[in-house]
Amino acid sequence: MSKVVLTVDDSRTMRDMLKLALGDAAFQVLQAVDGVHGLEVLETSAPDVIITDINMPNLDGFGFIEGVRRSDRHRTTPILVLTTESDQDKKQRARDAGATGWIVKPFDPVKLVDAVRRVAA
């Protein structure tokens, strides 16, 4: 059975790029358009890994990560942050919220898949 990855990003282009990269690596991909939608998707699914952007409308990545970590069901699900941000304070804030790792956009599809495989194991 293939591993399931939830991608949370308000950019359709980024969601498409993630779906292509992960799909080519035999992952099943679920998608959400922002943090609120991501939490809704998690009510009916149990992904092996979550990839989230930080800067999104409605609920940003920090709030989304905190929401995921409040859920007993998803408390230990690995969360990778995929963002254009490289600020150390934001990285620390994401770690404090419960993020597992950090990948800067634009991403290398091979490195992204390797990172997902590492945390999904």
Side-chain angles (χ1 to χ4, degrees):
M1 182 96 181
S2 65
K3 299 273 186 179
V4 178
V5 179
L6 169 62
T7 64
V8 185
D9 200 302
D10 58 317
S11 163
R12 165 173 263 158
T13 302
M14 189 54 60
R15 288 192 310 273
D16 290 347
M17 289 169 55
L18 286 165
K19 186 166 189 155
L20 183 64
L22 294 164
D24 284 351
F27 287 99
Q28 181 185 339
V29 180
L30 303 174
Q31 296 184 316
V33 299
D34 61 32
V36 171
H37 186 213
L39 293 175
E40 290 170 357
V41 170
L42 287 174
E43 289 175 12
T44 58
S45 63
D48 297 287
V49 179
I50 298 168
I51 299 174
T52 185
D53 188 15
I54 289 295
N55 301 310
M56 298 181 289
N58 302 320
L59 181 63
D60 69 8
F62 300 118
F64 170 71
I65 294 167
E66 290 165 355
V68 172
R69 292 302 183 227
R70 279 194 295 271
S71 160
D72 288 340
R73 202 164 144 221
H74 304 292
R75 186 162 287 135
T76 60
T77 304
I79 301 173
L80 296 174
V81 174
L82 179 65
T83 183
T84 55
E85 300 284 350
S86 57
D87 181 73
Q88 287 303 320
D89 291 340
K90 289 193 175 171
K91 284 185 182 180
Q92 187 58 51
R93 186 172 165 203
R95 274 195 293 273
D96 291 346
T100 310
W102 189 276
I103 301 166
V104 177
K105 293 177 187 174
F107 67 90
D108 175 321
V110 173
K111 289 180 180 172
L112 175 84
V113 168
D114 285 347
V116 170
R117 284 193 174 124
R118 269 197 310 278
V119 298

